[in-house]
Amino acid sequence: MSQDKLATQSELQLTFGRTFLHDYAGQIIDDPRIAIIELVANCYDAGASHVEVKWPAVPGRVLSINDNGTGMTRTELQKRWMTLAYDRAAEQGIEVEFPPDITRHKRTAFGHNGKGRFSPFCFGDKYTVET
């Protein structure tokens, strides 16, 4: 492959049409109740025993959700969070993994298709993940 073709390919970026996210995620980004449930379910699926939702007093301020779940390594974030239609059951199994300091109970994860990660878009145009 020529150097020109290689450079052109590396400069291409995937883009989405205006309605992609709505078509793909639906109520997850349209209904605030469902969006919050999805965000808390993500915490549950990370083995959290405590979830704190900080709802802003003023519209436009930061909505924050913190938990004591397992978190993700950089590699896990790349694989799990950055893959559209991530198949949790195939990649991680259906059982929740718990942090070492949390009493383990057998429980099945809610998430299975990775769409819950889009729920913050119900509240704004961008969001930040810290893990």
Side-chain angles (χ1 to χ4, degrees):
M1 189 176 293
S2 76
Q3 193 67 8
D4 288 342
K5 285 187 178 180
L6 189 60
T8 302
Q9 286 179 345
S10 67
E11 293 171 9
L12 294 176
Q13 292 185 353
L14 181 64
T15 59
F16 299 95
R18 185 178 53 80
T19 62
F20 170 79
L21 199 53
H22 175 74
D23 294 343
Y24 182 72
Q27 287 184 310
I28 292 169
I29 63 167
D30 290 336
D31 186 333
R33 295 170 299 173
I34 293 174
I36 290 293
I37 290 168
E38 289 289 340
L39 290 166
V40 173
N42 284 348
C43 302
Y44 178 92
D45 288 355
S49 63
H50 178 79
V51 178
E52 179 181 27
V53 178
K54 293 181 181 176
W55 197 267
V58 178
R61 299 292 175 125
V62 174
L63 165 67
S64 175
I65 306 214
N66 300 294
D67 68 69
N68 64 344
T70 57
M72 292 179 278
T73 65
R74 183 175 194 79
T75 301
E76 290 169 338
L77 180 71
Q78 182 67 36
K79 177 75 175 177
R80 298 173 186 177
W81 206 263
M82 303 303 293
T83 301
L84 292 176
Y86 175 76
D87 186 344
R88 187 197 197 287
E91 298 289 336
Q92 295 174 252
I94 61 169
E95 296 293 323
V96 169
E97 179 184 339
F98 294 88
D101 60 332
I102 294 179
T103 303
R104 298 163 192 264
H105 300 283
K106 185 175 178 176
R107 69 185 194 207
T108 303
F110 283 117
H112 55 85
N113 60 20
K115 290 183 180 180
R117 83 189 76 192
F118 298 110
S119 55
F121 289 124
C122 184
F123 307 105
D125 293 336
K126 62 182 180 176
Y127 68 91
T128 302
V129 175
E130 293 182 27
T131 183

